[in-house]
Amino acid sequence: MKAKNELSEAERYAWATLIATGVVFLMFWGRMTDGFQVLNLGAKDLLGLYLRVIMTFIVLHIIIAVIFAAKRGKEAQDGDVVERDERDMAIERKGSRTEFWVLAIIVQMVIFTLLFENAFPDGYTLPISVLSASGMFFVLMSGFFIADIAKRITMIIAYKS
Amino acid sequence: MRKLQKPKLKSKSKSKGKVNNRIKEIRTAHTKLTQEGLGKQVGATRQTIIAIEAGKYAPSMELAFRIAKEFGVPFEDVFQFDPDG
């Protein structure tokens, strides 16, 4: 890893958001599973967990955005204003493409699993069932987090290459 | 009509050529600009100037022209296309 002062603001932002998303994903994973076994929670528990996870995610990302915006404001006063340029935007586009494809693959896997479970109810042996609200909720939320993490990792790799 | 290509983060092509540049040479020999100073003048971060000088990032036409203008030299004195690169 490069020294802290060698990272651009956009790269530091990518690291901060990766850590924030990772923390929320771990929190979600801890509440939804018993190790690697998905817990079968009730609808009200799922709704409560959903709201907590989403609110935590949003609040963490807002805090990070505010911290970076405040820093930008301070640097603008000092005349040091270039914090994001065309390379940063190109790298973000690359990350977004990765995010899209990861999410697309996960959604297709959910669709296949859902259809397969309905078509062959006795022959289903995969570890996660999407027929229950718990299973579907877990898979879709995990997909959301994994796609976001994939985006941030793609960006960090692009910055290093 | 040939389709224009977007600037790539890193050239992976072996046959499409490569854009070389003399930014570091001109910057250090003819100006007192640091990488950060040049970046501020042309609207880029220091990391982007480092990546361009190292040939890891091909800048957009706009940024390339801004760099040449900042040095006060013709575009082709700063950037050269190497078809075999």
PDB file of all heavy atoms in Angstrom, chain A residues 128-157:
ATOM      1  N   ILE A 128     -28.424 -22.283  -0.149  1.00  0.00           N
ATOM      2  CA  ILE A 128     -29.357 -21.201   0.203  1.00  0.00           C
ATOM      3  C   ILE A 128     -30.644 -21.339  -0.598  1.00  0.00           C
ATOM      4  O   ILE A 128     -30.614 -21.442  -1.823  1.00  0.00           O
ATOM      5  CB  ILE A 128     -28.734 -19.821  -0.072  1.00  0.00           C
ATOM      6  CG1 ILE A 128     -27.499 -19.624   0.799  1.00  0.00           C
ATOM      7  CG2 ILE A 128     -29.739 -18.701   0.208  1.00  0.00           C
ATOM      8  CD1 ILE A 128     -26.718 -18.372   0.489  1.00  0.00           C
ATOM      9  N   SER A 129     -31.761 -21.321   0.110  1.00  0.00           N
ATOM     10  CA  SER A 129     -33.061 -21.358  -0.560  1.00  0.00           C
ATOM     11  C   SER A 129     -33.577 -19.925  -0.670  1.00  0.00           C
ATOM     12  O   SER A 129     -33.481 -19.144   0.284  1.00  0.00           O
ATOM     13  CB  SER A 129     -34.035 -22.199   0.265  1.00  0.00           C
ATOM     14  OG  SER A 129     -35.346 -21.995  -0.221  1.00  0.00           O
ATOM     15  N   VAL A 130     -34.116 -19.582  -1.831  1.00  0.00           N
ATOM     16  CA  VAL A 130     -34.674 -18.237  -1.999  1.00  0.00           C
ATOM     17  C   VAL A 130     -36.203 -18.258  -1.945  1.00  0.00           C
ATOM     18  O   VAL A 130     -36.851 -17.256  -2.241  1.00  0.00           O
ATOM     19  CB  VAL A 130     -34.188 -17.573  -3.318  1.00  0.00           C
ATOM     20  CG1 VAL A 130     -32.696 -17.330  -3.278  1.00  0.00           C
ATOM     21  CG2 VAL A 130     -34.574 -18.403  -4.516  1.00  0.00           C
ATOM     22  N   LEU A 131     -36.765 -19.390  -1.562  1.00  0.00           N
ATOM     23  CA  LEU A 131     -38.219 -19.464  -1.452  1.00  0.00           C
ATOM     24  C   LEU A 131     -38.720 -18.748  -0.190  1.00  0.00           C
ATOM     25  O   LEU A 131     -39.827 -18.206  -0.174  1.00  0.00           O
ATOM     26  CB  LEU A 131     -38.683 -20.923  -1.439  1.00  0.00           C
ATOM     27  CG  LEU A 131     -38.560 -21.673  -2.763  1.00  0.00           C
ATOM     28  CD1 LEU A 131     -39.050 -23.103  -2.609  1.00  0.00           C
ATOM     29  CD2 LEU A 131     -39.305 -20.970  -3.880  1.00  0.00           C
ATOM     30  N   SER A 132     -37.912 -18.751   0.841  1.00  0.00           N
ATOM     31  CA  SER A 132     -38.305 -18.049   2.066  1.00  0.00           C
ATOM     32  C   SER A 132     -37.906 -16.574   1.974  1.00  0.00           C
ATOM     33  O   SER A 132     -36.985 -16.217   1.226  1.00  0.00           O
ATOM     34  CB  SER A 132     -37.611 -18.682   3.276  1.00  0.00           C
ATOM     35  OG  SER A 132     -36.216 -18.444   3.207  1.00  0.00           O
ATOM     36  N   ALA A 133     -38.610 -15.743   2.747  1.00  0.00           N
ATOM     37  CA  ALA A 133     -38.275 -14.308   2.764  1.00  0.00           C
ATOM     38  C   ALA A 133     -36.858 -14.105   3.267  1.00  0.00           C
ATOM     39  O   ALA A 133     -36.111 -13.270   2.738  1.00  0.00           O
ATOM     40  CB  ALA A 133     -39.278 -13.559   3.645  1.00  0.00           C
ATOM     41  N   SER A 134     -36.468 -14.897   4.290  1.00  0.00           N
ATOM     42  CA  SER A 134     -35.117 -14.796   4.846  1.00  0.00           C
ATOM     43  C   SER A 134     -34.056 -15.060   3.781  1.00  0.00           C
ATOM     44  O   SER A 134     -33.077 -14.308   3.659  1.00  0.00           O
ATOM     45  CB  SER A 134     -34.924 -15.808   5.977  1.00  0.00           C
ATOM     46  OG  SER A 134     -35.229 -15.238   7.205  1.00  0.00           O
ATOM     47  N   GLY A 135     -34.248 -16.148   3.045  1.00  0.00           N
ATOM     48  CA  GLY A 135     -33.273 -16.543   2.025  1.00  0.00           C
ATOM     49  C   GLY A 135     -33.156 -15.497   0.928  1.00  0.00           C
ATOM     50  O   GLY A 135     -32.042 -15.100   0.549  1.00  0.00           O
ATOM     51  N   MET A 136     -34.308 -15.061   0.418  1.00  0.00           N
ATOM     52  CA  MET A 136     -34.305 -14.059  -0.656  1.00  0.00           C
ATOM     53  C   MET A 136     -33.689 -12.745  -0.171  1.00  0.00           C
ATOM     54  O   MET A 136     -32.863 -12.134  -0.855  1.00  0.00           O
ATOM     55  CB  MET A 136     -35.737 -13.821  -1.144  1.00  0.00           C
ATOM     56  CG  MET A 136     -35.854 -12.828  -2.282  1.00  0.00           C
ATOM     57  SD  MET A 136     -35.013 -13.355  -3.787  1.00  0.00           S
ATOM     58  CE  MET A 136     -36.312 -14.269  -4.611  1.00  0.00           C
ATOM     59  N   PHE A 137     -34.067 -12.324   1.035  1.00  0.00           N
ATOM     60  CA  PHE A 137     -33.534 -11.092   1.622  1.00  0.00           C
ATOM     61  C   PHE A 137     -32.018 -11.191   1.770  1.00  0.00           C
ATOM     62  O   PHE A 137     -31.279 -10.274   1.387  1.00  0.00           O
ATOM     63  CB  PHE A 137     -34.202 -10.862   2.983  1.00  0.00           C
ATOM     64  CG  PHE A 137     -33.655  -9.714   3.765  1.00  0.00           C
ATOM     65  CD1 PHE A 137     -33.847  -8.409   3.337  1.00  0.00           C
ATOM     66  CD2 PHE A 137     -32.964  -9.925   4.943  1.00  0.00           C
ATOM     67  CE1 PHE A 137     -33.341  -7.341   4.073  1.00  0.00           C
ATOM     68  CE2 PHE A 137     -32.457  -8.863   5.676  1.00  0.00           C
ATOM     69  CZ  PHE A 137     -32.642  -7.573   5.240  1.00  0.00           C
ATOM     70  N   PHE A 138     -31.559 -12.319   2.305  1.00  0.00           N
ATOM     71  CA  PHE A 138     -30.124 -12.500   2.524  1.00  0.00           C
ATOM     72  C   PHE A 138     -29.350 -12.445   1.206  1.00  0.00           C
ATOM     73  O   PHE A 138     -28.329 -11.750   1.097  1.00  0.00           O
ATOM     74  CB  PHE A 138     -29.863 -13.835   3.233  1.00  0.00           C
ATOM     75  CG  PHE A 138     -28.407 -14.139   3.401  1.00  0.00           C
ATOM     76  CD1 PHE A 138     -27.675 -13.514   4.400  1.00  0.00           C
ATOM     77  CD2 PHE A 138     -27.760 -15.039   2.570  1.00  0.00           C
ATOM     78  CE1 PHE A 138     -26.322 -13.771   4.554  1.00  0.00           C
ATOM     79  CE2 PHE A 138     -26.413 -15.304   2.713  1.00  0.00           C
ATOM     80  CZ  PHE A 138     -25.689 -14.678   3.709  1.00  0.00           C
ATOM     81  N   VAL A 139     -29.851 -13.142   0.201  1.00  0.00           N
ATOM     82  CA  VAL A 139     -29.132 -13.212  -1.075  1.00  0.00           C
ATOM     83  C   VAL A 139     -29.106 -11.847  -1.765  1.00  0.00           C
ATOM     84  O   VAL A 139     -28.052 -11.405  -2.253  1.00  0.00           O
ATOM     85  CB  VAL A 139     -29.777 -14.274  -1.995  1.00  0.00           C
ATOM     86  CG1 VAL A 139     -29.213 -14.197  -3.398  1.00  0.00           C
ATOM     87  CG2 VAL A 139     -29.551 -15.664  -1.430  1.00  0.00           C
ATOM     88  N   LEU A 140     -30.238 -11.155  -1.790  1.00  0.00           N
ATOM     89  CA  LEU A 140     -30.279  -9.865  -2.472  1.00  0.00           C
ATOM     90  C   LEU A 140     -29.440  -8.809  -1.749  1.00  0.00           C
ATOM     91  O   LEU A 140     -28.706  -8.039  -2.384  1.00  0.00           O
ATOM     92  CB  LEU A 140     -31.728  -9.381  -2.626  1.00  0.00           C
ATOM     93  CG  LEU A 140     -32.578 -10.169  -3.622  1.00  0.00           C
ATOM     94  CD1 LEU A 140     -34.002  -9.619  -3.667  1.00  0.00           C
ATOM     95  CD2 LEU A 140     -31.974 -10.147  -5.029  1.00  0.00           C
ATOM     96  N   MET A 141     -29.539  -8.773  -0.429  1.00  0.00           N
ATOM     97  CA  MET A 141     -28.738  -7.798   0.316  1.00  0.00           C
ATOM     98  C   MET A 141     -27.244  -8.107   0.196  1.00  0.00           C
ATOM     99  O   MET A 141     -26.421  -7.196   0.033  1.00  0.00           O
ATOM    100  CB  MET A 141     -29.151  -7.786   1.799  1.00  0.00           C
ATOM    101  CG  MET A 141     -30.484  -7.121   2.056  1.00  0.00           C
ATOM    102  SD  MET A 141     -30.514  -5.367   1.601  1.00  0.00           S
ATOM    103  CE  MET A 141     -29.610  -4.648   2.963  1.00  0.00           C
ATOM    104  N   SER A 142     -26.903  -9.391   0.284  1.00  0.00           N
ATOM    105  CA  SER A 142     -25.491  -9.784   0.125  1.00  0.00           C
ATOM    106  C   SER A 142     -24.992  -9.388  -1.266  1.00  0.00           C
ATOM    107  O   SER A 142     -23.864  -8.905  -1.413  1.00  0.00           O
ATOM    108  CB  SER A 142     -25.316 -11.289   0.327  1.00  0.00           C
ATOM    109  OG  SER A 142     -25.656 -11.644   1.633  1.00  0.00           O
ATOM    110  N   GLY A 143     -25.845  -9.600  -2.264  1.00  0.00           N
ATOM    111  CA  GLY A 143     -25.487  -9.222  -3.634  1.00  0.00           C
ATOM    112  C   GLY A 143     -25.207  -7.735  -3.750  1.00  0.00           C
ATOM    113  O   GLY A 143     -24.236  -7.314  -4.400  1.00  0.00           O
ATOM    114  N   PHE A 144     -26.043  -6.951  -3.101  1.00  0.00           N
ATOM    115  CA  PHE A 144     -25.857  -5.497  -3.094  1.00  0.00           C
ATOM    116  C   PHE A 144     -24.495  -5.121  -2.485  1.00  0.00           C
ATOM    117  O   PHE A 144     -23.738  -4.328  -3.055  1.00  0.00           O
ATOM    118  CB  PHE A 144     -27.011  -4.868  -2.303  1.00  0.00           C
ATOM    119  CG  PHE A 144     -26.805  -3.435  -1.910  1.00  0.00           C
ATOM    120  CD1 PHE A 144     -26.914  -2.414  -2.845  1.00  0.00           C
ATOM    121  CD2 PHE A 144     -26.514  -3.100  -0.601  1.00  0.00           C
ATOM    122  CE1 PHE A 144     -26.724  -1.094  -2.470  1.00  0.00           C
ATOM    123  CE2 PHE A 144     -26.320  -1.786  -0.221  1.00  0.00           C
ATOM    124  CZ  PHE A 144     -26.424  -0.773  -1.165  1.00  0.00           C
ATOM    125  N   PHE A 145     -24.174  -5.736  -1.342  1.00  0.00           N
ATOM    126  CA  PHE A 145     -22.905  -5.427  -0.680  1.00  0.00           C
ATOM    127  C   PHE A 145     -21.710  -5.932  -1.486  1.00  0.00           C
ATOM    128  O   PHE A 145     -20.706  -5.232  -1.642  1.00  0.00           O
ATOM    129  CB  PHE A 145     -22.865  -6.043   0.728  1.00  0.00           C
ATOM    130  CG  PHE A 145     -23.744  -5.337   1.716  1.00  0.00           C
ATOM    131  CD1 PHE A 145     -24.748  -6.025   2.374  1.00  0.00           C
ATOM    132  CD2 PHE A 145     -23.587  -3.988   1.980  1.00  0.00           C
ATOM    133  CE1 PHE A 145     -25.578  -5.374   3.281  1.00  0.00           C
ATOM    134  CE2 PHE A 145     -24.414  -3.332   2.885  1.00  0.00           C
ATOM    135  CZ  PHE A 145     -25.415  -4.036   3.539  1.00  0.00           C
ATOM    136  N   ILE A 146     -21.833  -7.150  -1.994  1.00  0.00           N
ATOM    137  CA  ILE A 146     -20.721  -7.729  -2.765  1.00  0.00           C
ATOM    138  C   ILE A 146     -20.448  -6.885  -4.017  1.00  0.00           C
ATOM    139  O   ILE A 146     -19.292  -6.634  -4.369  1.00  0.00           O
ATOM    140  CB  ILE A 146     -21.028  -9.203  -3.131  1.00  0.00           C
ATOM    141  CG1 ILE A 146     -20.975 -10.061  -1.865  1.00  0.00           C
ATOM    142  CG2 ILE A 146     -20.047  -9.733  -4.172  1.00  0.00           C
ATOM    143  CD1 ILE A 146     -21.561 -11.448  -2.027  1.00  0.00           C
ATOM    144  N   ALA A 147     -21.518  -6.423  -4.681  1.00  0.00           N
ATOM    145  CA  ALA A 147     -21.345  -5.595  -5.883  1.00  0.00           C
ATOM    146  C   ALA A 147     -20.646  -4.290  -5.530  1.00  0.00           C
ATOM    147  O   ALA A 147     -19.744  -3.826  -6.251  1.00  0.00           O
ATOM    148  CB  ALA A 147     -22.698  -5.317  -6.532  1.00  0.00           C
ATOM    149  N   ASP A 148     -21.040  -3.677  -4.411  1.00  0.00           N
ATOM    150  CA  ASP A 148     -20.407  -2.420  -3.998  1.00  0.00           C
ATOM    151  C   ASP A 148     -18.935  -2.647  -3.642  1.00  0.00           C
ATOM    152  O   ASP A 148     -18.064  -1.852  -4.022  1.00  0.00           O
ATOM    153  CB  ASP A 148     -21.154  -1.811  -2.811  1.00  0.00           C
ATOM    154  CG  ASP A 148     -20.725  -0.369  -2.548  1.00  0.00           C
ATOM    155  OD1 ASP A 148     -20.937   0.473  -3.439  1.00  0.00           O
ATOM    156  OD2 ASP A 148     -20.152  -0.101  -1.476  1.00  0.00           O
ATOM    157  N   ILE A 149     -18.669  -3.743  -2.935  1.00  0.00           N
ATOM    158  CA  ILE A 149     -17.278  -4.060  -2.566  1.00  0.00           C
ATOM    159  C   ILE A 149     -16.448  -4.325  -3.824  1.00  0.00           C
ATOM    160  O   ILE A 149     -15.307  -3.866  -3.933  1.00  0.00           O
ATOM    161  CB  ILE A 149     -17.253  -5.264  -1.597  1.00  0.00           C
ATOM    162  CG1 ILE A 149     -17.771  -4.818  -0.217  1.00  0.00           C
ATOM    163  CG2 ILE A 149     -15.854  -5.852  -1.472  1.00  0.00           C
ATOM    164  CD1 ILE A 149     -18.059  -5.952   0.747  1.00  0.00           C
ATOM    165  N   ALA A 150     -17.047  -5.032  -4.789  1.00  0.00           N
ATOM    166  CA  ALA A 150     -16.337  -5.306  -6.048  1.00  0.00           C
ATOM    167  C   ALA A 150     -15.986  -4.010  -6.767  1.00  0.00           C
ATOM    168  O   ALA A 150     -14.896  -3.866  -7.331  1.00  0.00           O
ATOM    169  CB  ALA A 150     -17.193  -6.197  -6.947  1.00  0.00           C
ATOM    170  N   LYS A 151     -16.911  -3.045  -6.728  1.00  0.00           N
ATOM    171  CA  LYS A 151     -16.656  -1.744  -7.361  1.00  0.00           C
ATOM    172  C   LYS A 151     -15.458  -1.058  -6.704  1.00  0.00           C
ATOM    173  O   LYS A 151     -14.543  -0.602  -7.392  1.00  0.00           O
ATOM    174  CB  LYS A 151     -17.896  -0.857  -7.234  1.00  0.00           C
ATOM    175  CG  LYS A 151     -17.681   0.556  -7.728  1.00  0.00           C
ATOM    176  CD  LYS A 151     -18.884   1.436  -7.468  1.00  0.00           C
ATOM    177  CE  LYS A 151     -18.578   2.869  -7.921  1.00  0.00           C
ATOM    178  NZ  LYS A 151     -19.740   3.756  -7.766  1.00  0.00           N
ATOM    179  N   ARG A 152     -15.473  -1.011  -5.376  1.00  0.00           N
ATOM    180  CA  ARG A 152     -14.385  -0.312  -4.663  1.00  0.00           C
ATOM    181  C   ARG A 152     -13.047  -1.008  -4.881  1.00  0.00           C
ATOM    182  O   ARG A 152     -12.015  -0.351  -5.051  1.00  0.00           O
ATOM    183  CB  ARG A 152     -14.679  -0.239  -3.159  1.00  0.00           C
ATOM    184  CG  ARG A 152     -16.051   0.270  -2.791  1.00  0.00           C
ATOM    185  CD  ARG A 152     -16.280   1.699  -3.189  1.00  0.00           C
ATOM    186  NE  ARG A 152     -17.688   2.053  -3.006  1.00  0.00           N
ATOM    187  CZ  ARG A 152     -18.228   3.200  -3.383  1.00  0.00           C
ATOM    188  NH1 ARG A 152     -17.503   4.118  -3.974  1.00  0.00           N
ATOM    189  NH2 ARG A 152     -19.505   3.443  -3.188  1.00  0.00           N
ATOM    190  N   ILE A 153     -13.055  -2.344  -4.862  1.00  0.00           N
ATOM    191  CA  ILE A 153     -11.798  -3.086  -5.064  1.00  0.00           C
ATOM    192  C   ILE A 153     -11.275  -2.860  -6.488  1.00  0.00           C
ATOM    193  O   ILE A 153     -10.075  -2.656  -6.690  1.00  0.00           O
ATOM    194  CB  ILE A 153     -12.004  -4.592  -4.769  1.00  0.00           C
ATOM    195  CG1 ILE A 153     -12.197  -4.786  -3.255  1.00  0.00           C
ATOM    196  CG2 ILE A 153     -10.815  -5.413  -5.256  1.00  0.00           C
ATOM    197  CD1 ILE A 153     -12.559  -6.191  -2.846  1.00  0.00           C
ATOM    198  N   THR A 154     -12.190  -2.865  -7.470  1.00  0.00           N
ATOM    199  CA  THR A 154     -11.782  -2.590  -8.854  1.00  0.00           C
ATOM    200  C   THR A 154     -11.121  -1.222  -8.953  1.00  0.00           C
ATOM    201  O   THR A 154     -10.085  -1.047  -9.614  1.00  0.00           O
ATOM    202  CB  THR A 154     -13.007  -2.636  -9.793  1.00  0.00           C
ATOM    203  OG1 THR A 154     -13.596  -3.919  -9.715  1.00  0.00           O
ATOM    204  CG2 THR A 154     -12.623  -2.352 -11.235  1.00  0.00           C
ATOM    205  N   MET A 155     -11.715  -0.241  -8.276  1.00  0.00           N
ATOM    206  CA  MET A 155     -11.160   1.120  -8.311  1.00  0.00           C
ATOM    207  C   MET A 155      -9.774   1.167  -7.666  1.00  0.00           C
ATOM    208  O   MET A 155      -8.849   1.779  -8.210  1.00  0.00           O
ATOM    209  CB  MET A 155     -12.116   2.086  -7.594  1.00  0.00           C
ATOM    210  CG  MET A 155     -13.395   2.345  -8.361  1.00  0.00           C
ATOM    211  SD  MET A 155     -14.591   3.328  -7.426  1.00  0.00           S
ATOM    212  CE  MET A 155     -13.745   4.898  -7.334  1.00  0.00           C
ATOM    213  N   ILE A 156      -9.631   0.492  -6.532  1.00  0.00           N
ATOM    214  CA  ILE A 156      -8.347   0.513  -5.827  1.00  0.00           C
ATOM    215  C   ILE A 156      -7.267  -0.174  -6.662  1.00  0.00           C
ATOM    216  O   ILE A 156      -6.140   0.313  -6.769  1.00  0.00           O
ATOM    217  CB  ILE A 156      -8.502  -0.130  -4.432  1.00  0.00           C
ATOM    218  CG1 ILE A 156      -9.313   0.813  -3.531  1.00  0.00           C
ATOM    219  CG2 ILE A 156      -7.150  -0.429  -3.801  1.00  0.00           C
ATOM    220  CD1 ILE A 156      -9.853   0.182  -2.271  1.00  0.00           C
ATOM    221  N   ILE A 157      -7.635  -1.296  -7.304  1.00  0.00           N
ATOM    222  CA  ILE A 157      -6.677  -1.994  -8.174  1.00  0.00           C
ATOM    223  C   ILE A 157      -6.289  -1.096  -9.351  1.00  0.00           C
ATOM    224  O   ILE A 157      -5.119  -1.011  -9.726  1.00  0.00           O
ATOM    225  CB  ILE A 157      -7.259  -3.333  -8.665  1.00  0.00           C
ATOM    226  CG1 ILE A 157      -7.349  -4.321  -7.500  1.00  0.00           C
ATOM    227  CG2 ILE A 157      -6.414  -3.927  -9.785  1.00  0.00           C
ATOM    228  CD1 ILE A 157      -8.128  -5.583  -7.806  1.00  0.00           C
TER     229      ILE A 157
END
